[in-house]
């Protein structure tokens, strides 16, 4: 594929469809911007990969976006952020806004003094999350919980089945049993399981998703807009390194409107 021209657009990427939970917050905050979304589904889940592999994928997708002319990149993947955001920032001369597990707001919110963090295995094992816990968690107990299998459910848009509820219960119930009243959705796929997580955890448990905070940070980094007086609504392009027809079927369900997903074979 020849390198497309997305001059002035905002690049957003994730290992798969999960980053759409961040993209929808960005779209709501910035209706007039053009957005380019890359789902690196051909190499997902990142949760099963090594740090070296996740870093190499993050750099590769980030370079492709930079070369195609975007003015900023949002890492809509906690796993890529905690493993590789620093390397991407060193390699790319563009603003990079990166989601990370919302441990600070969760600590501010808890009344029981127990916070659960739901995330991928590389995220819960990362130095970045250890630092966030040390920085914000001295007065509370933070329980880190890896959730293998959840990303695959979201990639299949299997959000409400009995099988999904059982796998959600397997990782959420132990946190509730330990007294957690606040759960961090520390992987961008998990907001799509929000209804099921809430049902299992109970109505009294708060679920914290930092997607809107990421969109606000992106707005802040882009600065004031000096645009035309009657701007047009922005366009969104969708790409995947995986099976485009299959990813398109899932995205059509999660995004809530018709999407066209193009195959990206050159990264
Ligand atoms: N959505 C990604 C995150 O926020 C990870 C999913 C994966 O394991 O590929 O961590």
């Amino acid at each position: 594929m020849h390198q497309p021209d997305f001059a002035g657009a905002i690049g957003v990427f994730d290992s798969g469809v999960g980053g759409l939970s961040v993209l929808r917050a960005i779209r709501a905050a910035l209706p007039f911007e053009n957005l380019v979304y890359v789902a690196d589904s051909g190499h997902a889940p990142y949760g099963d990969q090594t740090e070296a592999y996740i870093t190499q994928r993050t750099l590769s997708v980030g370079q492709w976006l930079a070369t195609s002319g975007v003015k900023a990149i949002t890492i809509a993947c906690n796993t890529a952020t905690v493993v590789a955001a620093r390397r991407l920032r060193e390699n790319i001369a563009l603003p990079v806004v990166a989601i990370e597990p919302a441990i600070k707001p969760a600590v501010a919110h808890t009344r029981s003094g127990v916070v659960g963090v739901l995330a991928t295995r590389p995220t819960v094992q990362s130095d970045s999350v250890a630092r966030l816990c040390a920085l914000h968690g001295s007065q509370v107990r933070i329980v880190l919980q890896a959730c293998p299998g959840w990303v695959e459910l979201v990639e299949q848009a299997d959000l409400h089945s009995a099988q999904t509820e059982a796998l959600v219960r397997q990782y959420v119930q132990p946190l509730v049993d330990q007294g957690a009243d606040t759960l961090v959705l520390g992987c961008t796929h998990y907001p799509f399981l929000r209804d099921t997580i809430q049902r299992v955890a109970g109505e009294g448990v708060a679920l914290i998703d930092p997607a809107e905070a990421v969109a606000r940070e992106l707005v802040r980094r882009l600065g004031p807009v000096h645009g035309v007086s009657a701007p047009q609504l922005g366009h969104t392009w969708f790409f995947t390194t995986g099976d485009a027809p299959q990813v398109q079927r899932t995205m059509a369900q999660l995004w809530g409107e018709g999407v066209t997903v193009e195959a990206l074979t050159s990264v």
Side-chain angles (χ1 to χ4, degrees):
M1 175 199 274
H2 94 133
Q3 188 80 26
D5 181 4
F6 296 123
I10 297 165
V12 180
F13 80 91
D14 177 39
S15 62
V17 299
L20 295 179
S21 65
V22 180
L23 191 74
R24 70 186 168 195
I26 294 173
R27 177 43 83 217
L30 293 165
F32 304 116
E33 296 285 352
N34 289 329
L35 307 177
V36 186
Y37 183 84
V38 177
D40 194 17
S41 326
H43 306 88
Y46 284 1
D48 292 347
Q49 306 289 0
T50 63
E51 293 207 348
Y53 189 86
I54 296 164
T55 302
Q56 183 249 315
R57 290 311 307 158
T58 301
L59 293 177
S60 231
V61 176
Q63 289 288 2
W64 182 82
L65 285 167
T67 310
S68 56
V70 300
K71 63 180 173 187
I73 292 177
T74 297
I75 306 180
C77 175
N78 295 264
T79 311
T81 296
V82 299
V83 171
R86 192 176 50 81
R87 285 288 304 280
L88 185 64
R89 289 187 171 111
E90 285 166 3
N91 278 270
I92 285 185
L94 288 174
V96 175
V97 174
I99 196 164
E100 67 178 11
I103 290 174
K104 185 179 177 188
V107 167
H109 188 276
T110 181
R111 292 294 162 260
S112 70
V114 183
V115 167
V117 179
L118 303 161
T120 65
R121 182 191 47 76
T123 298
V124 301
Q125 292 177 351
S126 67
D127 293 344
S128 303
V129 163
R131 263 197 303 279
L132 288 171
C133 292
L135 193 61
H136 305 297
S138 59
Q139 304 298 315
V140 301
R141 184 157 165 252
I142 299 177
V143 186
L144 305 177
Q145 177 66 59
C147 308
W150 285 16
V151 164
E152 290 86 337
L153 292 170
V154 176
E155 289 293 324
Q156 300 302 322
D158 181 359
L159 309 180
H160 303 288
S161 68
Q163 178 206 354
T164 297
E165 180 153 339
L167 200 57
V168 165
R169 190 173 298 284
Q170 185 177 332
Y171 304 129
V172 168
Q173 194 66 52
L175 300 175
V176 175
D177 291 346
Q178 290 174 76
D181 67 347
T182 307
L183 301 178
V184 175
L185 303 181
C187 166
T188 55
H189 283 70
Y190 301 172
F192 292 110
L193 296 170
R194 176 181 272 276
D195 292 350
T196 305
I197 297 170
Q198 193 77 70
R199 192 165 54 248
V200 167
E203 284 307 317
V205 173
L207 306 182
I208 310 284
D209 171 14
E212 287 177 11
V214 169
R216 281 195 300 275
E217 173 62 7
L218 183 61
V219 171
R220 194 188 68 76
R221 292 289 296 278
L222 292 176
V225 184
H226 306 289
V228 283
S229 50
Q232 292 192 337
L233 290 176
H235 187 75
T236 311
W237 292 274
F238 297 89
F239 289 91
T240 182
T241 58
D243 175 353
Q246 199 263 316
V247 172
Q248 179 163 313
R249 278 194 295 278
T250 300
M251 283 197 183
Q253 290 189 50
L254 302 184
W255 190 244
E257 62 187 77
V259 294
T260 303
V261 179
E262 295 176 56
L264 175 57
T265 51
S266 60
V267 297

mmCIF file of all heavy atoms in Angstrom, residues 28 61 192 206 256:
data_model
loop_
_atom_site.group_PDB
_atom_site.id
_atom_site.type_symbol
_atom_site.label_atom_id
_atom_site.label_comp_id
_atom_site.label_asym_id
_atom_site.label_seq_id
_atom_site.Cartn_x
_atom_site.Cartn_y
_atom_site.Cartn_z
ATOM 1 N N ALA A 28 -15.989 12.945 20.432
ATOM 2 C CA ALA A 28 -16.952 13.831 21.107
ATOM 3 C C ALA A 28 -16.291 15.164 21.468
ATOM 4 O O ALA A 28 -16.918 16.220 21.362
ATOM 5 C CB ALA A 28 -17.488 13.145 22.368
ATOM 6 N N VAL A 61 3.824 1.078 14.272
ATOM 7 C CA VAL A 61 2.542 1.735 13.986
ATOM 8 C C VAL A 61 2.697 3.249 14.149
ATOM 9 O O VAL A 61 2.203 4.037 13.329
ATOM 10 C CB VAL A 61 1.417 1.189 14.906
ATOM 11 C CG1 VAL A 61 0.114 1.950 14.657
ATOM 12 C CG2 VAL A 61 1.206 -0.305 14.681
ATOM 13 N N PHE A 192 -15.911 -1.787 27.054
ATOM 14 C CA PHE A 192 -16.968 -2.457 26.309
ATOM 15 C C PHE A 192 -17.608 -3.591 27.118
ATOM 16 O O PHE A 192 -18.659 -4.108 26.749
ATOM 17 C CB PHE A 192 -16.436 -2.959 24.960
ATOM 18 C CG PHE A 192 -16.104 -1.827 24.030
ATOM 19 C CD1 PHE A 192 -14.792 -1.529 23.708
ATOM 20 C CD2 PHE A 192 -17.119 -1.030 23.516
ATOM 21 C CE1 PHE A 192 -14.492 -0.460 22.878
ATOM 22 C CE2 PHE A 192 -16.830 0.042 22.686
ATOM 23 C CZ PHE A 192 -15.516 0.319 22.362
ATOM 24 N N ALA A 206 -17.639 1.578 41.855
ATOM 25 C CA ALA A 206 -17.376 2.557 40.784
ATOM 26 C C ALA A 206 -16.378 1.977 39.788
ATOM 27 O O ALA A 206 -15.382 1.349 40.190
ATOM 28 C CB ALA A 206 -16.814 3.837 41.391
ATOM 29 N N GLY A 256 -21.053 1.641 16.662
ATOM 30 C CA GLY A 256 -22.448 2.062 16.661
ATOM 31 C C GLY A 256 -22.881 2.758 15.385
ATOM 32 O O GLY A 256 -23.933 3.350 15.327
#
